[in-house]
Amino acid sequence: MLDVPVHGQIFYPREVQELTLSTLTVFAVLAGEYFYPFYSPNIIQFLRLLTLAFVIYVPHELAHKFTAQYYGYPARFSIVWEFFILTLISAIPVIPIKFIAPGTVYIYTTSFGIDRRTNGIISAAGPTTNILLGLVGLIAGGPFAKTVMNFSGWIAFFNLLPIGPLDGRKVLQWNIAVWATLLFIALIMVLI
């Protein structure tokens, strides 16, 4: 049964906790890559990586949620435990492939489902948010802003791959030009 947010609240019960826990797993993946094998963390590096995990992950997920709500669909972030565990495993420094998808936004629809255009727009909202954050990083300049740009581009690019439950498949089914444009911009942001 779908738990309901208290009147006037934006989030469902436990939703913020699950989003926080998921963000910490994203941080674990970033920390495993950054600190192993050469660096010992100091508090500034720790806080930068925690900020990076928050900036590249939370706005992406909330963009899906709030866009779905804009279209009148109840939506809630939730941990997907199999993916959460895969994300944690990929945080181990010697694991070469990093998987960052500890949770997802579930959209609750009527028995008629959701039309392809609306589903494509909701799916594009997350990667588009990452691209916008990356562009802010590009304009801001500086090493941390460049890191935000690169990782935002990577998160957008990964999510735009048209496979499985990723955003890319739904965006591509809706509008190939939008999908190709977003994918191209995300790739450029990764490579800059």
Side-chain angles (χ1 to χ4, degrees):
M1 181 174 175
L2 174 64
D3 48 338
V4 179
V6 178
H7 180 70
Q9 290 185 336
I10 297 172
F11 295 99
Y12 288 80
R14 298 180 311 281
E15 186 175 13
V16 172
Q17 293 89 334
E18 290 187 33
L19 187 56
T20 301
L21 187 57
S22 294
T23 304
L24 291 174
T25 63
V26 173
F27 167 75
V29 172
L30 297 175
E33 276 299 291
Y34 185 75
F35 294 133
Y36 178 84
F38 304 109
Y39 300 104
S40 59
N42 65 44
I43 191 67
I44 299 299
Q45 292 168 328
F46 179 88
L47 292 174
R48 281 185 180 157
L49 282 178
L50 190 57
T51 301
L52 179 63
F54 178 86
V55 167
I56 66 172
Y57 188 71
V58 173
H60 176 104
E61 297 300 340
L62 292 181
H64 291 310
K65 174 185 172 69
F66 295 146
T67 304
Q69 289 175 335
Y70 171 81
Y71 281 101
Y73 296 103
R76 140 185 239 294
F77 178 85
S78 185
I79 288 175
V80 178
W81 290 105
E82 302 83 20
F83 293 164
F84 182 86
I85 290 168
L86 281 173
T87 301
L88 278 179
I89 290 170
S90 78
I92 299 169
V94 295
I95 304 289
I97 297 173
K98 301 304 174 188
F99 182 84
I100 298 179
T104 192
V105 172
Y106 289 100
I107 301 167
Y108 302 96
T109 63
T110 64
S111 58
F112 299 109
I114 186 169
D115 66 89
R116 185 175 292 194
R117 178 184 179 276
T118 304
N119 200 22
I121 292 169
I122 293 168
S123 297
T128 300
T129 299
N130 284 112
I131 288 169
L132 292 174
L133 288 167
L135 292 175
V136 168
L138 177 65
I139 293 166
F144 183 72
K146 184 178 184 317
T147 302
V148 168
M149 181 193 63
N150 293 140
F151 276 95
S152 290
W154 185 84
I155 293 288
F157 181 80
F158 174 79
N159 277 277
L160 285 164
L161 295 175
I163 54 174
L166 296 177
D167 301 327
R169 183 179 56 80
K170 294 168 268 188
V171 176
L172 179 61
Q173 288 174 343
W174 161 55
N175 189 315
I176 192 169
V178 170
W179 172 79
T181 302
L182 291 174
L183 189 70
F184 177 75
I185 294 169
L187 181 59
I188 295 299
M189 287 170 51
V190 171
L191 298 175
I192 289 180

